[in-house]
Amino acid sequence: MVTITEIESEDELEKEPLVAENSGPSTSASESVDPPSDQDATGFQKYQEMWDPLSWAAMILAVLMAMVIVRLSTPTVMKPRLWNSEELAKYNGSDPKLPILLGIMGVFDVTKGRNHYGPEGGYSHFSGRDASRAFVSGNFTGDGLTDSLEGLSALQVKSIMDWHNFFENSTKYIYVGKLVGRFYNVSGLPTKEFVRATRLASRGERLVKEQKEDESRFPSCNSRWNPQQGGEVWCTTGYPRIAEKISDGLYKGAAETRCACFEEDIIKKRKGLREYDGCPPLSQRCQSAPPQA
């Protein structure tokens, strides 16, 4: 290895030249210099090619073409705006050149879910319209495909708001505006119907919390069912009763119920509890459904 003799001071640098240990004889200026080798010539040629204007032009053209391809393959994102029902109806998935839109207290681009919301999808009835009511009613035909919330309970309106929030917070679907009509006016401002819906949804949130507290205090029954023996419910502590779930009382259909376990003193105080047919009042096991014939 060639090493450089250490210099201890600037004075020594002035006194004597820097000497390389074990260095070979130097080449004088009068000696001839060998011509460049083939390897050197090849390197110089590559250097010239690197800075060749045509090469740079080809490289820039390739980059521009790649940018154009990426641009064309990236779907155009719609800017949020106001829609009317006639416009929205055109985006129901029947035209493959157009995005698929649906309304649920807002308008969302669901094109990425074409398998679900396209013409052959199981949720195609939601596309090209606001069918908010159908998200909780399960009525996907005729008058059921509407944005009217008339007669729905607070819990049902909360469920619709949950669906709205699902689309709004999704990384897959895109918010593209508001539908002028029931929930937004021509200026895009919320209507009285929208305000009423948000209040009902807030009431629904409170009811859900109350229901969870009730279920924590009075646990659900154990249950099992098979064709030979039918259904059976039982309680480890307390006695089985059919209890109505907490609601706001606005829903006109049959009240939702559950089997819950109650102690005897609570049974005497709580209203709305029903016994299972043919089951003794203080039995911890009850037949809930007869065997299949």
Side-chain angles (χ1 to χ4, degrees):
M1 176 183 293
V2 179
T3 59
I4 304 299
T5 305
E6 296 183 0
I7 300 174
E8 296 183 355
S9 68
E10 293 182 2
D11 294 337
E12 294 181 11
L13 179 61
E14 295 176 357
K15 292 177 182 178
E16 54 184 278
L18 188 65
V19 179
E21 296 179 358
N22 300 327
S23 61
S26 60
T27 303
S28 67
S30 62
E31 294 180 0
S32 62
V33 179
D34 294 333
S37 65
D38 292 341
Q39 184 176 359
D40 293 334
T42 302
F44 181 72
Q45 184 179 1
K46 289 182 177 179
Y47 178 81
Q48 283 185 314
E49 292 175 354
M50 181 184 301
W51 292 100
D52 181 59
L54 291 178
S55 299
W56 275 100
M59 186 182 300
I60 293 172
L61 181 61
V63 171
L64 291 175
M65 290 181 64
M67 292 174 65
V68 170
I69 292 172
V70 171
R71 177 75 174 177
L72 293 176
S73 61
T74 303
T76 303
V77 178
M78 290 183 173
K79 293 183 179 180
R81 67 179 183 87
L82 296 178
W83 299 81
N84 60 46
S85 299
E86 291 73 21
E87 289 176 318
L88 188 60
K90 299 175 183 178
Y91 294 82
N92 63 358
S94 58
D95 187 343
K97 297 179 182 179
L98 296 178
I100 302 175
L101 308 182
L102 67 74
I104 178 166
M105 303 188 77
V107 181
F108 299 90
D109 184 338
V110 295
T111 308
K112 290 184 179 180
R114 181 176 291 275
N115 290 341
H116 301 296
Y117 299 102
E120 305 300 323
Y123 301 138
S124 59
H125 37 262
F126 289 118
S127 302
R129 56 162 63 95
D130 185 334
S132 295
R133 187 184 189 91
F135 277 89
V136 296
S137 70
N139 183 358
F140 304 134
T141 59
D143 295 340
L145 296 172
T146 176
D147 57 0
S148 172
L149 308 183
E150 185 66 29
L152 297 183
S153 69
L155 289 172
Q156 289 175 309
V157 176
K158 176 195 172 298
S159 293
I160 291 175
M161 278 297 191
D162 288 344
W163 275 107
H164 167 85
N165 294 336
F166 163 77
F167 287 106
E168 188 171 53
N169 298 323
S170 172
T171 57
K172 182 177 181 180
Y173 305 129
I174 305 169
Y175 172 76
V176 293
K178 303 171 182 177
L179 179 62
V180 174
R182 190 177 300 275
F183 300 118
Y184 298 98
N185 62 22
V186 293
S187 300
L189 298 175
T191 62
K192 292 182 179 179
E193 187 68 16
F194 181 89
V195 174
R196 175 179 173 274
T198 55
R199 289 176 178 172
L200 273 175
S202 297
R203 171 62 177 157
E205 289 279 3
R206 293 193 295 271
L207 291 173
V208 168
K209 183 179 179 180
E210 292 173 16
Q211 180 62 42
K212 288 182 178 179
E213 292 173 351
D214 190 70
E215 291 175 0
S216 177
R217 185 181 177 190
F218 305 110
S220 296
C221 307
N222 301 296
S223 64
R224 65 184 173 196
W225 180 91
N226 62 63
Q228 293 74 32
Q229 297 178 336
E232 182 182 34
V233 293
W234 72 93
C235 296
T236 305
T237 302
Y239 310 99
R241 289 294 186 273
I242 301 171
E244 291 186 2
K245 290 186 176 182
I246 293 175
S247 70
D248 55 6
L250 296 178
Y251 185 54
K252 297 178 182 180
E256 291 188 72
T257 61
R258 69 184 183 100
C259 178
C261 301
F262 297 91
E263 296 289 352
E264 187 175 4
D265 58 331
I266 300 297
I267 291 174
K268 294 178 180 178
K269 298 176 183 178
R270 180 157 172 159
K271 298 180 179 179
L273 298 181
R274 292 187 287 118
E275 299 175 2
Y276 282 91
D277 293 339
C279 186
L282 299 182
S283 173
Q284 289 189 308
R285 288 181 175 270
C286 296
Q287 187 87 21
S288 59
Q292 288 187 347

